[in-house]
Amino acid sequence: MAASWKLFLGLVVLGLYSTSINSYRILGFFPFPIYSHQVPFFRVFDELVTRGHDITLVAGFPLSDTDPKLYKYIPIPFLLKFNDAKGRSPLLFAHKSTAKTVNHYSNFCLTSLQNILTTREVTEFYRTDNGTYDLIISEITFCGEPHAALGHKYRGVPVINFQPLGYRAAVFSLYGNLLMPNIMPDVREPFTDRMTFWQSLDNMYLTLWDLWDMYMSYLPQLEEMMRANLHYPGSESRPDLVSLLHSMSLTLVEYDPAILGVAFPIAPNLKFTGGLHLRPGELLSADLESFMNDLHYPGSESRPDLVSLLHSMSLTLVEYDPAILGVAFPIAPNLKFTGGLHLRPGELLSADLESFMNATPHVAMPTGHRNCKLFITHGGIHSSMEAVYHGVPVVMMPGFSDQHQNCKLMEEKGMGLITPHETITGDILYITIREVLNNPRYRDTVGRLSKQVRSLPYSNLDQAVRWAEHVAANKGVLGYTPAAQQTSVMRLLGVELWVIWTILVVLVVVIVMSLIRCLRRCCRKK
């Protein structure tokens, strides 16, 4: 018996010792104040805490699933201004021209970063924090490029970048990834990889404009912001921003074509880890759970057939634009719509987006509930992945950014139908809902996709956690970054080769034409 106890205690001590020597100090730096960008990767931090790592999180929101006593949280105030001087929200826009699309992104990020980099909590952290870390994780390549300087501040600590969207040529050029605008659509384009010739031209134009804007305007302006605001011991010797971005060890992309997305080749320093937020069954708030379990829709004088159709189902609406609620409620006055904020019949979303984000940063959505039969969505990548994962047909109203492409992908796969919110009416929405609910091919298709996704032979959450531990253990990674990262954008696009081939073709044509003329002259003389 004594020997057994000694063996048991020895195993416990060995386990504790093993945990301690494999525990890493990890800094998570997420001052960009949009929760949907952060919640997927926060699940990685939850798991890292569980595995015994020492986590310091600088962010606008704490970890929702982890005891605050188990990690260090440094709060950052809500820094994003959703409305411009004219009261317009930059988040509410349909697909515009190429120039407007690129300028929108640049201006939005420049405005956001100006707020972030001049906030006392952020500048003080850069200036005074003397922590020692084995790894830094931050959302860098979406409105966070200056934070690549954290690797320099902490004297070469490896940096993992978290990217919340799919393929963008200008961003992927920083990784040294292939740029093939003829077959790889930008994530902000309203079409998929089934591009027509004219769509390929449009995508090429967007790619070239985006590259020009990034290297000639966007990054130089960020350099000026950094010189003015990011000061810390040694910052006077800080390399240029492009060099800092090139020094990132790894990028985890919140995207996975196996779940939903356009398939494209990626370099070894990029890893698909989309769907980190997906769970078999997420706990709902008490009132929403009660609502979902006991659905009852009284008759309606305006649309009795629709209400009858919606018995024993839930209609979930996720959309920023209050005008869509104004269309939806008149056709179904007794439905409750949920989108982070619970709305009773007849109510419209009156609070502005900033106060909404402050008040309700995250509420579990009922797409996985057994009574949810239809999902009306704006087509954000997280909502789209949830629809696939839970096998729920969709009615889609894309508004901005990648939503157009996500919705087009879901429509092409046969998951549902798109109803453009620019032209939506109550009748159109009503007819679309009936078609998606009554036609079994939508539910059958999304059911097959759900089964496929749930049986994938890997877990993106496990992959993200293990990559983080791998980078921390090895103080970075060697051989993952392609040499193409150090080449010019012209070479990444293959412009030099095309120029040479064009010159050769022109020379051959000129020579052939000259020979033909000589032959004609000789024939005339004879």
Side-chain angles (χ1 to χ4, degrees):
M1 181 67 69
S4 300
W5 273 106
K6 288 180 180 179
L7 177 62
F8 173 77
L9 291 174
L11 290 173
V12 170
V13 171
L14 180 62
L16 291 174
Y17 177 73
S18 300
T19 301
S20 65
I21 63 174
N22 291 315
S23 177
Y24 303 111
R25 293 158 297 186
I26 301 174
L27 170 65
F29 196 78
F30 289 82
F32 186 63
I34 293 186
Y35 193 76
S36 64
H37 283 231
Q38 300 175 10
V39 64
F41 215 82
F42 278 14
R43 288 206 63 202
V44 176
F45 284 112
D46 289 328
E47 186 65 22
L48 289 169
V49 171
T50 300
R51 293 165 75 99
H53 300 295
D54 183 5
I55 302 297
T56 298
L57 179 64
V58 181
F61 309 97
L63 300 179
S64 58
D65 296 339
T66 298
D67 187 337
K69 297 177 182 178
L70 300 179
Y71 71 103
K72 182 180 180 181
Y73 172 56
I74 302 175
I76 298 294
F78 193 92
L79 303 173
L80 193 60
K81 295 185 181 299
F82 283 101
N83 298 320
D84 62 16
K86 296 182 179 180
R88 300 169 302 187
S89 170
L91 296 180
L92 305 180
F93 75 103
H95 180 69
K96 303 296 184 183
S97 67
T98 294
K100 288 184 178 179
T101 298
V102 172
N103 292 340
H104 168 86
Y105 270 77
S106 295
N107 293 335
F108 175 71
C109 286
L110 288 170
T111 301
S112 300
L113 282 167
Q114 181 63 34
N115 292 332
I116 291 170
L117 298 181
T118 56
T119 299
R120 180 180 59 81
E121 288 83 353
V122 174
T123 56
E124 282 295 302
F125 182 83
Y126 268 95
R127 189 175 62 84
T128 64
D129 183 65
N130 295 317
T132 303
Y133 305 104
D134 300 302
L135 177 66
I136 296 164
I137 303 175
S138 183
E139 182 183 13
I140 292 175
T141 50
F142 189 95
C143 302
E145 289 81 3
H147 307 315
L150 289 168
H152 179 261
K153 168 180 166 59
Y154 295 107
R155 293 174 171 77
V157 172
V159 175
I160 289 182
N161 168 42
F162 173 61
Q163 180 174 315
L165 295 176
Y167 175 76
R168 283 181 56 199
V171 171
F172 273 59
S173 70
L174 295 169
Y175 311 138
N177 203 74
L178 292 171
L179 302 183
M180 296 184 290
N182 57 320
I183 61 174
M184 293 165 59
D186 187 285
V187 73
R188 297 163 295 181
E189 291 281 26
F191 41 75
T192 67
D193 49 354
R194 301 180 183 181
M195 290 186 286
T196 65
F197 173 75
W198 299 110
Q199 288 173 338
S200 294
L201 285 180
D202 181 273
N203 193 54
M204 173 68 82
Y205 179 38
L206 176 60
T207 296
L208 295 176
W209 190 282
D210 202 21
L211 287 166
W212 174 270
D213 177 77
M214 170 168 278
Y215 289 100
M216 303 304 293
S217 175
Y218 179 65
L219 292 181
Q221 290 185 70
L222 291 184
E223 288 266 20
E224 291 296 325
M225 287 187 194
M226 293 172 68
R227 279 192 287 268
N229 301 292
L230 287 192
H231 303 295
Y232 52 85
S235 60
E236 61 279 357
S237 63
R238 182 171 57 216
D240 64 272
L241 181 53
V242 172
S243 297
L244 291 172
L245 293 169
H246 284 174
S247 67
M248 296 184 301
S249 294
L250 203 68
T251 291
L252 303 180
V253 186
E254 174 58 7
Y255 198 82
D256 189 350
I259 303 175
L260 183 78
V262 174
F264 57 88
I266 57 174
N269 58 341
L270 295 168
K271 305 296 176 185
F272 286 133
T273 56
L276 296 171
H277 67 298
L278 298 175
R279 308 186 191 191
E282 192 170 8
L283 292 176
L284 305 178
S285 61
D287 60 332
L288 186 54
E289 182 69 32
S290 174
F291 166 71
M292 294 297 297
N293 289 334
D294 187 24
L295 290 168
H296 175 68
Y297 299 95
S300 169
E301 296 180 2
S302 59
R303 295 284 189 184
D305 49 345
L306 176 65
V307 174
S308 174
L309 177 69
L310 297 176
H311 273 302
S312 301
M313 65 160 287
S314 167
L315 194 63
T316 304
L317 178 66
V318 180
E319 181 50 69
Y320 294 124
D321 195 341
I324 293 178
L325 295 177
V327 170
F329 275 114
I331 69 168
N334 293 294
L335 288 179
K336 175 183 280 190
F337 293 84
T338 63
L341 189 66
H342 306 325
L343 300 172
R344 297 184 180 86
E347 290 182 344
L348 295 180
L349 184 60
S350 58
D352 63 23
L353 196 54
E354 181 173 343
S355 61
F356 165 68
M357 290 288 289
N358 271 320
T360 56
H362 175 61
V363 176
M365 298 302 296
T367 44
H369 196 280
R370 64 185 181 279
N371 287 339
C372 184
K373 309 300 182 186
L374 180 68
F375 187 20
I376 299 182
T377 174
H378 61 333
I381 189 62
H382 297 146
S383 302
S384 302
M385 287 182 174
E386 286 177 20
V388 175
Y389 184 80
H390 295 298
V392 182
V394 288
V395 171
M396 300 160 280
M397 291 176 277
F400 66 97
S401 188
D402 61 323
Q403 295 170 8
H404 296 276
Q405 189 175 104
N406 298 334
C407 290
K408 190 66 177 176
L409 277 166
M410 289 190 284
E411 190 174 60
E412 287 182 356
K413 289 177 181 289
M415 293 173 56
L417 295 174
I418 295 175
T419 304
H421 72 74
E422 300 93 339
T423 58
I424 191 173
T425 64
D427 287 333
I428 291 175
L429 180 59
Y430 170 68
I431 293 170
T432 306
I433 289 173
R434 292 205 58 166
E435 166 61 20
V436 175
L437 281 173
N438 288 340
N439 193 329
R441 75 181 181 92
Y442 298 108
R443 179 159 292 279
D444 292 343
T445 298
V446 76
R448 289 196 300 272
L449 291 171
S450 175
K451 182 179 179 181
Q452 176 180 298
V453 168
R454 285 172 177 260
S455 62
L456 286 172
Y458 59 86
S459 163
N460 278 334
L461 177 60
D462 185 62
Q463 287 196 106
V465 170
R466 291 185 180 276
W467 275 116
E469 292 176 333
H470 173 75
V471 174
N474 293 279
K475 296 179 172 54
V477 289
L478 296 175
Y480 289 6
T481 302
Q485 187 190 62
Q486 303 301 325
T487 63
S488 66
V489 173
M490 301 292 282
R491 291 198 65 184
L492 282 176
L493 290 171
V495 173
E496 296 169 342
L497 294 176
W498 282 108
V499 169
I500 291 173
W501 277 110
T502 301
I503 292 172
L504 289 175
V505 169
V506 170
L507 285 175
V508 169
V509 170
V510 169
I511 292 171
V512 171
M513 294 297 294
S514 299
L515 289 174
I516 292 174
R517 288 174 184 171
C518 288
L519 289 173
R520 284 180 176 177
R521 289 173 184 173
C522 291
C523 291
R524 286 174 184 173
K525 288 180 180 180
K526 291 181 179 180

